[in-house]
Amino acid sequence: MQKQISNLDKLTLSNDFLFKHVMLRKRICKHILEELLHTEIADITYLEAEQTIDVYPDSHGIRLDVRIADTANTHYNLEMQVKNPVNRATGKFLLPKRTRYYQAMLDTDMLQKGQDYDELSPTYIIFFCLFDFFQDSQRIYTFKKRCLENMNIELADEAVIMFLNTLGTKGDVSPDIQSLFDYINSNIINSNFTREVADTIVEIKNDKKVRDAYMTYEMRMKDMRDEAHAEGKAEGLAEGKAEGLAEGKAKGLAEGKAKEKTATAKRLLSMGLSVEDIAKATSLSVEQVEAINAE
C-alpha cells in the first residue's frame, strides 16, 4: 500500500490517471476547451461517475477518458496518450480505430437516452499526445469528414476529432494551451494557468478518495499483468515442452521459460504498458522488451 501511495506522489500530468482527475476539475477542463475551440462555454457537466475506472471490453487496458457535455449539448471525450500503441498482430497503430470506438460510445449513449439519430449532438474527441502521431509537427491536427472528389464539400455530421501534439511547433495555439503543453512535457510552470494546474495536482494527491481510487487502479493493473503473465506462461511452457520432447527436457523447460516471458511481454505491450513497467513485471531488461516491441 505504501508503495502505491508513493507512486501516486510521483505522478505528473502526463499520467493518464492523474490527467483524468485534473480534467474532473470543472474550471480547468472548461478553460482548456474554451482555449482549444476559441469559444465561450457557459458550463459543463460530466457524463460519468467521477471515480469511474473502466476496463476495455477487448482487454486492451483500462479506460481513463473523460466524457463531458456543455450547455449547448456538445459532447466531448478527452484522453491522455503517453505512447503510440500498436496492434502486434497487424502492426497497425491503434489510435485511429480508438477514435471510432469513442465516437460509437458517445453516439450510442445519446441514442440510448431516446434521441433520434437526426438529433445527435455535436461531438469532439480530443487526444492529448506526447508524440507526433502524424509526424508533421502540427500542434493540433483537426479532422472532419470531407468528400475526396471535392475537398470543399464537408459532411456536416458535426463529429470532430482532434489530436493535440504537445511537441508540435507548427500552427497557432493560445498562450495557455502552449503553457499546458510545456507543463505536460517538462513539468515547467510558465503561466498563471499552469500554476493553477500544479496547485490542483497537489490537492488531488492529498485527496483520500483519489488515493483510494489510485490503489484500486493499481490493483486492476496488477490483475491485468498477472493475467497476461499466466497466459504467457501457459503458452510458453506448452511450446517449450513440445520442443523439449525432441531436444531434451532441460533445454525445453529453459526455452519455455524464455518464451513465457516473451509472451507475457507481448501481451503487456498490446495493453499499452510502458517498456519500463513491462521490464519490471517480466524480469527482462529494458533492451530486451524494446527488441520484442520492435519485432
Side-chain angles (χ1 to χ4, degrees):
M1 181 185 302
Q2 188 60 41
K3 181 179 179 182
Q4 291 169 336
I5 292 174
S6 176
N7 288 342
L8 173 61
D9 292 334
K10 295 177 182 177
L11 297 186
T12 64
L13 187 58
S14 63
N15 176 271
D16 49 6
F17 178 90
L18 187 57
F19 174 81
K20 172 166 184 169
H21 284 277
V22 171
M23 291 302 103
L24 289 174
R25 299 300 177 101
K26 183 179 288 190
R27 207 195 88 80
I28 290 176
C29 186
K30 176 174 168 291
H31 182 66
I32 289 173
L33 292 175
E34 289 177 328
E35 293 292 294
L36 281 175
L37 304 178
H38 308 290
T39 188
E40 290 187 10
I41 297 174
D43 196 12
I44 60 173
T45 57
Y46 294 95
L47 303 176
E48 59 186 343
E50 289 197 358
Q51 304 295 343
T52 297
I53 300 176
D54 296 326
V55 179
Y56 282 110
D58 54 4
S59 300
H60 279 170
I62 291 178
R63 277 190 38 239
L64 288 166
D65 56 310
V66 182
R67 283 164 280 175
I68 303 160
D70 65 18
T71 47
N73 205 30
T74 299
H75 288 218
Y76 308 87
N77 188 295
L78 287 74
E79 187 177 60
M80 176 66 70
Q81 294 291 330
V82 177
K83 62 179 296 184
N84 191 8
V86 178
N87 184 314
R88 296 192 60 80
T90 64
K92 294 182 178 180
F93 292 108
L94 297 177
L95 285 189
K97 292 293 181 68
R98 188 174 292 185
T99 66
R100 284 183 59 182
Y101 174 64
Y102 284 166
Q103 187 67 58
M105 284 197 309
L106 289 172
D107 290 345
T108 300
D109 183 61
M110 286 183 275
L111 292 171
Q112 287 177 343
K113 292 178 179 177
Q115 287 184 242
D116 291 330
Y117 73 87
D118 61 332
E119 297 175 340
L120 285 171
S121 302
T123 60
Y124 285 84
I125 296 171
I126 304 173
F127 286 150
F128 288 75
C129 300
L130 274 71
F131 51 88
D132 188 351
F133 185 84
F134 301 99
Q135 299 183 353
D136 191 44
S137 300
Q138 300 291 337
R139 289 183 171 90
I140 299 178
Y141 299 92
T142 304
F143 293 87
K144 296 181 179 180
K145 296 183 181 70
R146 292 187 179 276
C147 174
L148 294 180
E149 289 72 22
N150 184 344
M151 295 299 286
N152 291 320
I153 300 175
E154 179 182 329
L155 181 65
D157 62 352
E158 297 184 302
V160 180
I161 298 169
M162 300 175 71
F163 291 80
L164 310 185
N165 171 23
T166 64
L167 303 175
T169 57
K170 297 179 182 177
D172 294 329
V173 294
S174 73
D176 277 356
I177 292 298
Q178 184 58 57
S179 70
L180 180 65
F181 287 176
D182 295 339
Y183 185 70
I184 291 172
N185 292 332
S186 307
N187 219 31
I188 295 172
I189 298 171
N190 56 17
S191 70
N192 290 334
F193 178 57
T194 48
R195 167 52 62 192
E196 179 183 358
V197 171
D199 290 344
T200 299
I201 287 175
V202 173
E203 293 176 10
I204 289 171
K205 289 180 177 180
N206 289 324
D207 187 322
K208 185 179 184 302
K209 288 184 178 180
V210 175
R211 297 175 87 80
D212 291 345
Y214 185 69
M215 289 176 60
T216 300
Y217 166 74
E218 286 280 270
M219 286 188 288
R220 290 197 182 185
M221 291 295 290
K222 182 179 182 300
D223 289 343
M224 290 169 58
R225 289 193 294 265
D226 290 346
E227 180 182 348
H229 181 78
E231 292 179 4
K233 181 176 181 179
E235 292 177 8
L237 286 176
E239 292 181 16
K241 287 178 180 179
E243 294 177 5
L245 290 174
E247 301 177 11
K249 183 176 181 180
K251 182 179 179 181
L253 290 174
E255 291 182 353
K257 190 72 174 177
K259 290 180 178 181
E260 168 195 335
K261 291 183 178 182
T262 298
T264 300
K266 288 180 178 180
R267 289 181 180 276
L268 295 177
L269 283 166
S270 71
M271 293 177 185
L273 271 68
S274 69
V275 169
E276 292 76 13
D277 286 344
I278 295 171
K280 292 177 184 178
T282 60
S283 298
L284 293 171
S285 68
V286 170
E287 291 75 17
Q288 287 174 310
V289 178
E290 288 177 341
I292 293 170
N293 193 33
E295 290 178 358

